[in-house]
Amino acid sequence: MRLRRFGRTGWQVGEIGYGMWGIGGGTGGWTGGDEGSGREALRLAVDQGCTFFDTAWIYGRGHSELLLGELRAEYPDGAIRIATKIPPLDRNWPTRPGARFTEVFPDAHVAEYLALSLKNLGAQRIDLMQYHVWDDSWADDDEWLAQAARMKERGLVEAVGISVNRWEPTNVLAALETGLVDAVQVIYNIFDQAPEDELFAACARHDVAVIARVPFDEGTLTGSLTTDTRWPEGDWRNSYFVPANLAASVERADRLRPVVPEGMTMPQLALRFILQHPAVSTVIPGMRTPAHVRANLSVSDGVALPAGLMDELRRHRWDRVPTEWSQ
């Protein structure tokens, strides 16, 4: 596994991390996972050099954190870095327009979930605690400024991050100016290239780490979806891949399919595209099986995509705006 510097924290982390939403379980998540296989995948990832694991309390209402806590106990020598997220009090993803910071992340709520996460993870300090939604109008809010600084001063977290709302990569630029943000988690993939426009340069200027999430566009860039794809009741993807989005997504993937080089899968091409950008500190594909781990981590070999192929992939950019179903 090749390592990259995680912004001003100075951490050296594996360039391919582990996104843990898919193995969190619970209502509103991803169905079809097997917990035994998930545990095996987590151990295999560490053994193969994966060092960065991203979870959140909402992934299984703490279950994903508990799984990560078990993994941490098996590797007590500090071999892994743990990132988790505080859920919004009102449970709105993204946050409601006009909502005040103190309505979404009041001090008592943040303190409660920070304590829950520490307990679930079996840790005295969390490497990276992230706000799970954000609105940049909060950047100059005195309550946020004090809260973020206080978590660090008390030694409860080492670094503070923001998970940027879907398709809103500039909705964090003011927060970066405060100097309190150590990492930004943003959707970045072959379709969602907008973070390259402004966000990546701002992160580089402030030495802020970039965590690339949703590398496979929630499954579109695996190349496995069709217009007939359906998921069990309760699976989050039913609410995201509404008919119009599913049809458009499948069409985009079909258009990309002829570009995938021989001997490479579409997911591997998707990861290589992301790793090509120097601003990216780590990318966090969801992995629920050992096979996923082997396939994804094999991409960390330092082999760059040819310039001509990158030019072609640039033409697959798909600029979208948040909707009632994009969450």
Side-chain angles (χ1 to χ4, degrees), residues 17-31:
Y18 202 120
M20 293 189 61
W21 184 17
I23 62 173
T27 304
W30 293 52
T31 60

Side-chain angles (χ1 to χ4, degrees), residues 51-107:
T51 67
F52 187 85
F53 291 77
D54 178 83
T55 186
W57 178 86
I58 199 64
Y59 301 165
R61 274 63 174 173
H63 185 63
S64 178
E65 289 183 333
L66 287 168
L67 290 175
L68 191 49
E70 292 176 8
L71 185 73
R72 178 180 174 275
E74 292 181 33
Y75 297 87
D77 59 353
I80 64 176
R81 290 284 181 181
I82 290 176
T84 191
K85 309 178 194 76
I86 303 166
L89 175 63
D90 58 9
R91 299 296 192 266
N92 283 315
W93 280 269
T95 194
R96 293 176 294 107
R100 299 193 307 272
F101 177 78
T102 51
E103 296 174 326
V104 182
F105 292 113
D107 284 345

Side-chain angles (χ1 to χ4, degrees), residues 84-285:
T84 191
K85 309 178 194 76
I86 303 166
L89 175 63
D90 58 9
R91 299 296 192 266
N92 283 315
W93 280 269
T95 194
R96 293 176 294 107
R100 299 193 307 272
F101 177 78
T102 51
E103 296 174 326
V104 182
F105 292 113
D107 284 345
H109 170 75
V110 169
E112 176 187 359
Y113 279 86
L114 182 54
L116 279 172
S117 293
L118 287 166
K119 180 180 179 181
N120 289 338
L121 295 166
Q124 294 184 325
R125 183 175 67 175
I126 293 169
D127 296 315
L128 175 66
M129 177 60 86
Q130 303 159 96
Y131 291 90
H132 209 161
V133 298
W134 187 255
D135 190 288
D136 226 18
S137 65
W138 301 338
D140 61 355
D141 188 298
D142 290 340
E143 294 291 335
W144 174 68
L145 296 169
Q147 186 183 98
R150 189 163 54 245
M151 284 192 287
K152 291 183 180 181
E153 291 166 359
R154 293 180 177 175
L156 299 176
V157 305
E158 187 170 344
V160 170
I162 289 173
S163 181
V164 184
N165 306 336
R166 187 183 299 273
W167 305 332
E168 298 181 18
T170 60
N171 190 13
V172 72
L173 297 180
L176 298 184
E177 297 291 336
T178 68
L180 289 172
V181 181
D182 300 301
V184 168
Q185 185 169 151
V186 63
I187 292 179
Y188 177 57
N189 56 51
I190 292 172
F191 295 155
D192 296 303
Q193 300 179 28
E196 296 179 3
D197 297 345
E198 297 180 66
L199 178 61
F200 285 174
C203 287
R205 189 165 59 251
H206 295 284
D207 201 13
V208 168
V210 171
I211 305 165
R213 69 183 178 101
V214 194
F216 306 139
D217 191 48
E218 309 296 8
T220 308
L221 286 167
T222 65
S224 62
L225 302 188
T226 72
T227 54
D228 296 321
T229 299
R230 299 292 183 272
W231 294 272
E233 183 177 354
D235 192 299
W236 172 83
R237 288 167 290 186
N238 286 315
S239 62
Y240 177 73
F241 284 111
V242 297
N245 185 35
L246 181 59
S249 298
V250 169
E251 179 186 355
R252 293 273 179 168
D254 287 344
R255 210 180 302 169
L256 178 65
R257 203 178 306 278
V259 179
V260 180
E262 186 177 353
M264 188 183 300
T265 66
M266 190 180 292
Q268 289 172 332
L269 177 64
L271 291 175
R272 288 186 185 280
F273 171 85
I274 293 166
L275 292 176
Q276 201 97 338
H277 203 291
V280 173
S281 305
T282 189
V283 57
I284 51 170

